[in-house]
Structures are given as C-alpha cells and as structure tokens.
Amino acid sequence: MTRVLLVRHARPAAGFDAAPDPGLDPIGHGQADALAAHLGVQPPLAVVTSPLRRARETAAPLARRWACRPDVVAAFGEIPAPQGPPAERAAWLRAVMPLTWDDVEPRLLDWRTELLETLAAQPRDGVVVTHFVAINTIVGMATGDRRLVSCTPGHASVTEVEVAAGAVTLRSGPGS
C-alpha cells in the first residue's frame, strides 16, 4: 500500500484564462510556505510535482524543508487543453468540466489512464503537487464517480489517498 498526499498547487498569479503557465502570486507563496510548515513536521516523503510552474513553486518550500529534490512527472500535469489563446482554452475547460468520462474525447481518456497508472506506480509514500482536474480524476476513481469534477479542492489543499493493487482509496480531503 502506498500513501499519497495530493496537493493542489497554491494560488497562481494568473488564471487558466489568462496565462498558460503562471507562477504563484504572493498569497500563493504564503500558502506554499504554510503547506511546508504543516506537512514538514512529519518524516520526509517523496516529493513529486507537475511540470507546471505553479506546482513546482508550491512544492519548493516542502522540498527545501525535507532537503530533497522533487521529481517532475508529466503525468501529474494539467488536463490537456487545446493549444491556443488562453481565453479559448478557458472556454474549452468550462465546456468539458460538466462532462463524465463517458462523454469525453479519446485523448482525455488517454490522459486519465496515464495519470491513474502513474499514481498506481508510485514506489513509495509521497506528496504529489498537481492540479484541480487531476485531483478530481483520482478522487473520482476512488469513489466511483465518473464526473470530471466531483469535488472542489482549494489551493494548497491536501487530499490523502491510498493505492494498493491498482485500487485507490480516499482517506481524507474533498469528496471524502
């Protein structure tokens, strides 16, 4: 059994509709520091992060506290939105978020499969800094909910899951 703490990145300096890869704003940096203080009291865990800047910046204070280097794993990145102006990407996201996994295009199912397989392959307990839809995908797998969005993890929130033999169990956090 592997224990994984899923962390939604802290508050970014810009939204999905404004910039493709923003860092954190001042409040987000404070959230990342508070997260490191909260989680950092326990023995060090592996730290894994999405490649996007807001996730890497969220993971950085915790990695410093535990004197480790985060593993950057593409599978824990954002849902793959079409390329184009941020406003068009945001409109696309608003259109897909109410859907179920039965209603999405194959490339999104491929992303979901890769995300869940990567989660299941985590070799040891750890913290994974990721994104809203990724956390929803994992929580949905744990709860049997087929919607893309079934919970509302806040910025710098922690959702705890256990993974064993390919099964995901939700222990705490949004949706539990």
Side-chain angles (χ1 to χ4, degrees), residues 34 75 99 101 107 124 126 131 134 159 172:
L99 301 177
W101 289 107
R107 71 184 183 91
R124 64 186 189 105
H131 304 274
T159 302
S172 68

Side-chain angles (χ1 to χ4, degrees), residues 6 135 139 151-153 157-161 170-176:
L6 301 167
I135 293 169
V139 168
C151 65
T152 54
S157 65
V158 178
T159 302
E160 182 178 351
V161 297
L170 178 62
R171 291 295 175 210
S172 68
S176 62

Side-chain angles (χ1 to χ4, degrees), residues 74-154:
F76 290 118
E78 276 280 10
I79 187 170
Q83 298 301 310
E88 288 178 17
R89 290 170 28 94
W92 172 86
L93 184 62
R94 283 190 300 276
V96 299
M97 285 178 68
L99 301 177
T100 69
W101 289 107
D102 301 318
D103 302 320
V104 300
E105 57 192 283
R107 71 184 183 91
L108 298 182
L109 292 173
D110 293 344
W111 172 81
R112 177 181 185 257
T113 298
E114 183 179 3
L115 170 68
L116 295 171
E117 287 176 351
T118 302
L119 177 71
Q122 291 305 294
R124 64 186 189 105
D125 293 354
V127 174
V128 174
V129 182
T130 186
H131 304 274
F132 183 88
V133 178
I135 293 169
N136 269 274
T137 301
I138 295 165
V139 168
M141 174 57 88
T143 61
D145 194 321
R146 302 276 307 154
R147 294 176 294 167
L148 267 71
V149 176
S150 59
C151 65
T152 54

Side-chain angles (χ1 to χ4, degrees), residues 7-14 22-36 49 52-61 129-132 135 153-157:
V7 173
R8 182 177 177 204
H9 62 78
R11 193 169 99 169
L24 300 179
D25 72 5
I27 291 173
H29 282 290
Q31 290 172 328
D33 290 339
L35 177 75
T49 182
L52 296 175
R53 185 174 165 202
R54 58 197 175 274
R56 290 182 289 114
E57 289 181 6
T58 301
V129 182
T130 186
H131 304 274
F132 183 88
I135 293 169
H155 290 117
S157 65

